[in-house]
Amino acid sequence: MTRVGSNTIERLARLGFGARGAVYCIVGGLALLAAIGWGGSTGDSESAIRWVFLGPFGAILVGLIALGLFGFSLWRFVESITDADRHGTNAKGLAVRAAHFGSGIVAAGLGFTAASLALGLGRRASGGDGMQDWTAWLLARPFGPWLVGAIGLGIVAGGIAFLFKAAKGDVTDRLALDAAHCRWVKPLGQFGYGARGIAFLIIGGLVMVAAWYQASSEVKGLAGAFSTLRSQPYGSILLGIVAAGHLAFGIFGLIQARYRHIDAPDLDETDDAVMRAVRSLN
């Protein structure tokens, strides 16, 4: 078993994995309830945070989620720049690090949403779809459809990477767990990564359709991916499987919060680590 160190960035990273895991537990749990007809809803991460906010001690819990998401974002930035996870500087390693940097941006945006709720700055329901807004803005720019198409292709590539990771079965490589625990944690992680991969394929495909037709209304996030699944033949079953997978992904995130190997430079060492990483690319 791993120990929880005193490194500040490591502590924030662990809080971040836990916050992200909790959010996906709620996303998957609510969607699963919707699939089996027991209420629930097919929402995204922001919807899950708003659901927490409306419950007991909502502002406090959402504030903790915001702190965790900022911690996860910081870890993703530091990890991708300094190569703390040692992915390397070959094409594959740089692609993974770039994807992690992108996930840090997404986590930071979600963290700002959570923080605004906790501070009472965003209590009203969201007035629009953020993905549709930025897609509409981008489509209006020169070469906008090509840029939107490239983003959609990147999301699809991320989905394929998730599916490949699930099939390869190396999801527990960075966990400090013995073989007995990995025996049940590994399929849990594979199921979660597979579900995320399917969602990414749908989301990326819809973004590419938006680029083709130059219509931002075609863009849907995770909630749209759930709705797309539900509208298919045997949709409730498909939605139930993918929703359960997102719940599994959330539980796996909570396990990562405790047992993931995190070799992060501390705050006073980060500048030196960044400079070493930059020199290694030259």
Side-chain angles (χ1 to χ4, degrees):
M1 301 296 181
T2 189
R3 66 177 182 82
V4 178
S6 58
N7 184 301
T8 302
I9 294 180
E10 178 186 346
R11 286 177 170 174
L12 289 172
R14 294 193 186 282
L15 179 61
F17 277 108
R20 188 182 71 155
V23 169
Y24 277 109
C25 281
I26 297 168
V27 169
L30 291 175
L32 182 58
L33 290 175
I36 61 180
W38 288 3
S41 61
T42 51
D44 55 13
S45 299
E46 182 177 342
S47 300
I49 291 174
R50 290 183 180 277
W51 182 85
V52 173
F53 179 77
L54 295 174
F57 308 104
I60 296 174
L61 294 176
V62 169
L64 291 174
I65 290 174
L67 178 61
L69 290 171
F70 286 137
F72 183 79
S73 177
L74 175 64
W75 160 244
R76 282 306 201 204
F77 292 150
V78 170
E79 182 269 320
S80 60
I81 295 172
T82 67
D83 196 21
D85 273 346
R86 296 175 176 81
H87 293 291
T89 55
N90 57 19
K92 179 183 177 181
L94 290 175
V96 172
R97 290 164 65 182
H100 285 181
F101 192 90
S103 74
I105 294 174
V106 173
L110 192 59
F112 278 115
T113 297
S116 67
L117 276 173
L119 295 173
L121 303 177
R123 298 194 177 199
R124 291 183 301 173
S126 179
D129 190 308
M131 289 188 67
Q132 290 184 3
D133 291 342
W134 69 253
T135 303
W137 179 87
L138 200 54
L139 285 172
R141 308 278 81 78
F143 305 105
W146 292 97
L147 293 173
V148 172
I151 292 172
L153 189 60
I155 296 174
V156 169
I160 294 173
F162 273 128
L163 292 172
F164 182 76
K165 188 175 183 68
K168 190 177 178 182
D170 59 355
V171 295
T172 58
D173 285 359
R174 297 187 185 277
L175 297 183
L177 290 173
D178 54 36
H181 288 88
C182 281
R183 191 173 297 116
W184 66 269
V185 173
K186 180 177 178 179
L188 181 75
Q190 288 179 284
F191 185 30
Y193 274 96
R196 289 293 289 154
I198 292 172
F200 267 53
L201 289 180
I202 297 172
I203 295 169
L206 292 173
V207 172
M208 294 174 70
V209 169
W212 181 263
Y213 290 106
Q214 299 188 36
S216 62
S217 59
E218 297 291 337
V219 175
K220 309 291 182 183
L222 181 57
F226 284 150
S227 297
T228 299
L229 287 169
R230 196 172 197 175
S231 66
Q232 305 306 309
Y234 305 102
S236 294
I237 297 175
L238 294 175
L239 174 61
I241 292 172
V242 175
H246 279 74
L247 176 59
F249 187 79
I251 296 172
F252 187 76
L254 297 178
I255 295 171
Q256 286 179 304
R258 177 62 179 86
Y259 297 111
R260 193 187 194 277
H261 176 71
I262 298 175
D263 187 17
D266 209 345
L267 289 175
D268 57 353
E269 303 169 348
T270 302
D271 291 343
D272 292 338
V274 170
M275 291 305 300
R276 287 195 299 269
V278 171
R279 285 195 294 268
S280 71
L281 294 174
N282 295 330

